[in-house]
Amino acid sequence: MEHYTMNLTLKVWRQKNSQEKGRFETYQVKNISSEMSFLEMFDVLNEELIREGKEPIAFDHDCREGICGMCSMYINGKPHGPWHANTTCQLHMRAYKDGDTIVVEPWRANAFPVVKDLVVDRSSFDRIIQAGGYISVNTGNAVDANAIPIEKDKADNAFAAAACIGCGACVAACKNSSAMLFLSAKVSHLALLPQGGPERKGRVLNMVAQMDREGFGACTNTGACEAVCPKEISITNIARLNAEYIGAGLVVE
Amino acid sequence: MQWSEFFTSSVGKKFVMGLTGLFLISFLVIHVGINATIFADLVDPDENGAMFNKAAHFMGSTVLIRILEIGLFAGIILHIVQGYMLEAKNRSARSVGYAVNLGNRGSKWYSRAMGLLGTIILLFLIIHMAHFWVKARITHTLAPVTYNGVEMHDMFSEMKAVFSEGWVIAVYLLGCISLGYHLAHGFQSAFRTVGVHNNKYNSLLVNLGYGFSILVSLLFALMPVAMYFGWVG
Ligand code: HEM
Ligand code: SF4
Ligand code: FES
């Protein structure tokens, strides 16, 4: 693909801390290379802000290779930007052309309070995992990985669900700020495998209870989550979670 | 886990929405089926709503059906109350909104407008009940008609009278369109909510839902229109 440079207008949400009300700030960025990543473009802007003696824009990132789920940015109305099945760090500036205006906002959900600028606190996800996203393992020698035969379909579906990186884009995109795609990926991943068997019922009940306590909304199956998920987690997992929850909730004493 | 915990959880509340929604769908099948007998008039002009009147009479005459009617009211009320509670909770989960919204890039508009569509259906239902149910079951102010020595309400003539005014037709069409869109999302959504998670069936149910929504809302819409233009009656 041919290399080119571009000048852009950025409208970025700035907010000093969780208490203060934020506002949009407009920046002109010049000579951005089409081969830069979206976050590199922010690095360039931040260096310029630092040179000018201004506060750089706070944003989350870690791996910059699409596996950690930190880079939460709501770009022109879409989590992780315009590309399908992609994270912000893997979005490249060739997605834009000279003269474009890009609006960048933090994830919006009361369960993800803004810490600063584009950084939100997603520890509600950690607490949901702590409520049941684990399995019991006996101590002793590690068991041979092939010792338990697993149906191919189940192994594939569990693997696909395990691809969730906990980025929160599903919550950000959902009109109800529902965490059901995330939760359903975590529950499905373990419920489909024999190793997840012992805690199967308690896990789904406890994780849903924690999700409700964190203040996420309920799912209305609109499908916005699936459309923006960088790991293409299927919405069918939500229906599976419902079956797991109803099955457990109706029998557990 | 206590029952109260189950039914106050987000998934438990949605389970109630799904079940009551499916129950209301089964009611619609019977309702549209019975009302469609007015079209017998198209085949036999001397019919004059006899088949429809007898069917409507039967629906009010047996104890079992009157008990089901109470269940239907309970179901509708549960669906509406639970629906508004969920809608309020979901709206309150995001205090600061976006400057640019995802909009139709991620979901169908009617899947995001279930509360609004439900509200239009509710307003329609109030008018609809005042038109027919109140007169048939409460005030008994319908003209009588006798078939084979059995006297019953002449519901068919009442329909003709009600559907002679333009504004009534407009209200009914709006009600039918809202119901169609509510079900275009609700039909398949309800199955997911109660736990159907086999892609083969889920995609079948999506298409079945579209077919059902179009067929039911079209059939219902045709009734006032056909009477207004005098094609029936
Ligand atoms: C004959 C009338 C109605 C039928 C057949 C019907 C059917 C349905 C169905 C099948 C669903 C999907 C449930 C799910 O996803 O689990 C639903 C959802 C819903 N309905 Fe109704 N409904 C009717 C009337 C109403 C009324 C009068 C309201 C008034 C507020 C309403 C409000 C809602 C709401 C807010 C939802 C939740 C949206 C969602 O979860 O996706 N509905 N309805
Ligand atoms: S389900 Fe997808 S969008 Fe949601 S947290 Fe996991 S990877 Fe991110
Ligand atoms: S920075 Fe790790 S996924 Fe983007």
Side-chain angles (χ1 to χ4, degrees):
Chain A
M1 185 169 283
E2 207 186 322
H3 172 257
Y4 59 96
T5 61
M6 65 197 99
N7 298 333
L8 301 164
T9 305
L10 288 183
K11 289 192 173 140
V12 183
W13 184 260
R14 302 301 308 263
Q15 184 172 335
K16 273 212 174 68
N17 52 49
S18 53
Q19 268 76 47
E20 198 161 295
K21 256 188 77 169
R23 72 200 133 58
F24 281 101
E25 198 78 62
T26 305
Y27 303 96
Q28 306 295 334
V29 285
K30 298 210 159 51
N31 284 323
I32 295 298
S33 159
S34 60
E35 287 171 5
M36 277 182 189
S37 78
F38 200 80
L39 295 185
E40 282 166 342
M41 185 260 298
F42 264 78
D43 294 337
V44 169
L45 170 60
N46 271 348
E47 279 178 17
E48 207 171 296
L49 290 175
I50 292 168
R51 262 199 306 278
E52 291 168 10
K54 292 179 184 154
E55 181 83 10
I57 300 163
F59 63 91
D60 258 335
H61 61 101
D62 188 8
C63 69
R64 296 209 179 194
E65 57 179 17
I67 56 172
C68 75
M70 287 300 282
C71 50
S72 47
M73 286 192 189
Y74 205 82
I75 303 163
N76 279 345
K78 195 160 178 276
H80 296 302
W83 287 351
H84 178 70
N86 192 59
T87 54
T88 300
C89 58
Q90 295 286 290
L91 173 64
H92 282 73
M93 293 312 293
R94 61 177 181 270
Y96 299 95
K97 55 185 196 314
D98 191 42
D100 278 355
T101 297
I102 309 173
V103 181
V104 187
E105 304 173 71
W107 285 176
R108 298 290 191 196
N110 296 354
F112 287 164
V114 173
V115 176
K116 185 176 182 178
D117 298 339
L118 301 172
V119 178
V120 299
D121 177 358
R122 287 176 295 128
S123 57
S124 45
F125 268 15
D126 299 338
R127 289 187 291 274
I128 293 175
I129 295 286
Q130 283 158 11
Y134 51 78
I135 59 166
S136 308
V137 181
N138 289 330
T139 54
N141 288 341
V143 182
D144 189 328
N146 295 323
I148 310 169
I150 298 170
E151 216 178 297
K152 175 91 167 80
D153 283 352
K154 288 194 173 164
D156 287 350
N157 283 332
F159 188 79
C164 167
I165 54 176
C167 66
C170 43
V171 175
C174 174
K175 82 168 183 60
N176 310 319
S177 309
S178 170
M180 285 286 274
L181 193 64
F182 162 76
L183 178 56
S184 71
K186 299 304 171 193
V187 166
S188 293
H189 158 38
L190 299 176
L192 284 163
L193 298 176
Q195 289 90 337
E199 291 98 351
R200 187 167 173 180
K201 293 199 176 79
R203 173 185 305 117
V204 65
L205 298 178
N206 292 336
M207 289 178 89
V208 167
Q210 188 60 36
M211 174 183 73
D212 288 350
R213 274 196 289 278
E214 298 292 349
F216 293 101
C219 173
T220 57
N221 298 314
T222 66
C225 51
E226 183 186 52
V228 303
C229 174
K231 299 298 157 186
E232 299 186 287
I233 300 296
S234 165
I235 195 175
T236 304
N237 287 305
I238 296 184
R240 182 183 290 109
L241 167 70
N242 291 333
E244 289 285 324
Y245 188 85
I246 294 162
L250 293 181
V251 298
V252 170
E253 296 174 42
Chain B
M1 158 171 267
Q2 307 291 317
W3 288 115
S4 60
E5 274 177 82
F6 179 80
F7 285 109
T8 52
S9 72
S10 57
V11 180
K13 283 182 189 158
K14 279 301 316 267
F15 184 51
V16 172
M17 278 314 274
L19 285 187
T20 52
L22 290 174
F23 178 57
L24 293 177
I25 285 174
S26 68
F27 155 72
L28 284 181
V29 173
I30 296 174
H31 189 14
V32 80
I34 287 185
N35 284 33
T37 57
I38 65 164
F39 296 117
D41 216 54
L42 293 172
V43 191
D44 175 8
D46 295 332
E47 222 273 336
N48 213 17
M51 196 198 281
F52 171 69
N53 277 338
K54 285 184 219 164
H57 178 70
F58 171 74
M59 291 310 282
S61 61
T62 74
V63 177
L64 183 69
I65 292 174
R66 293 310 286 265
I67 291 171
L68 278 176
E69 197 176 59
I70 295 168
L72 177 64
F73 272 104
I76 286 195
I77 289 167
L78 204 57
H79 187 83
I80 293 169
V81 171
Q82 193 76 273
Y84 279 122
M85 277 167 56
L86 277 170
E87 183 80 22
K89 178 182 187 269
N90 291 346
R91 278 171 187 261
S92 72
R94 177 173 293 138
S95 307
V96 182
Y98 291 108
V100 186
N101 281 298
L102 184 63
N104 294 333
R105 285 179 283 174
S107 55
K108 302 261 178 13
W109 72 266
Y110 50 86
S111 77
R112 303 193 304 275
M114 292 296 275
L116 174 69
L117 293 166
T119 303
I120 301 174
I121 298 173
L122 175 61
L123 294 176
F124 163 77
L125 276 181
I126 294 169
I127 298 174
H128 179 53
M129 302 259 299
H131 276 153
F132 298 105
W133 185 82
V134 170
K135 289 179 207 165
R137 298 275 200 273
I138 308 284
T139 59
H140 297 282
T141 43
L142 295 179
V145 61
T146 306
Y147 302 105
N148 305 328
V150 184
E151 194 186 283
M152 55 187 75
H153 288 144
D154 189 0
M155 189 65 103
F156 189 74
S157 300
E158 181 64 20
M159 274 176 93
K160 279 198 291 186
V162 168
F163 294 142
S164 63
E165 288 179 79
W167 74 268
V168 175
I169 309 300
V171 166
Y172 273 70
L173 288 183
L174 184 65
C176 291
I177 292 168
S178 303
L179 181 67
Y181 278 112
H182 196 78
L183 291 179
H185 177 66
F187 190 98
Q188 55 92 27
S189 173
F191 286 98
R192 290 177 182 279
T193 303
V194 301
V196 178
H197 61 280
N198 181 316
N199 283 327
K200 219 159 81 180
Y201 287 89
N202 285 124
S203 45
L204 194 74
L205 287 165
V206 168
N207 293 316
L208 202 64
Y210 287 140
F212 181 83
S213 319
I214 294 171
L215 188 71
V216 167
S217 47
L218 206 66
L219 269 176
F220 271 134
L222 270 176
M223 294 168 193
V225 170
M227 289 203 149
Y228 184 75
F229 290 108
W231 305 334
V232 161

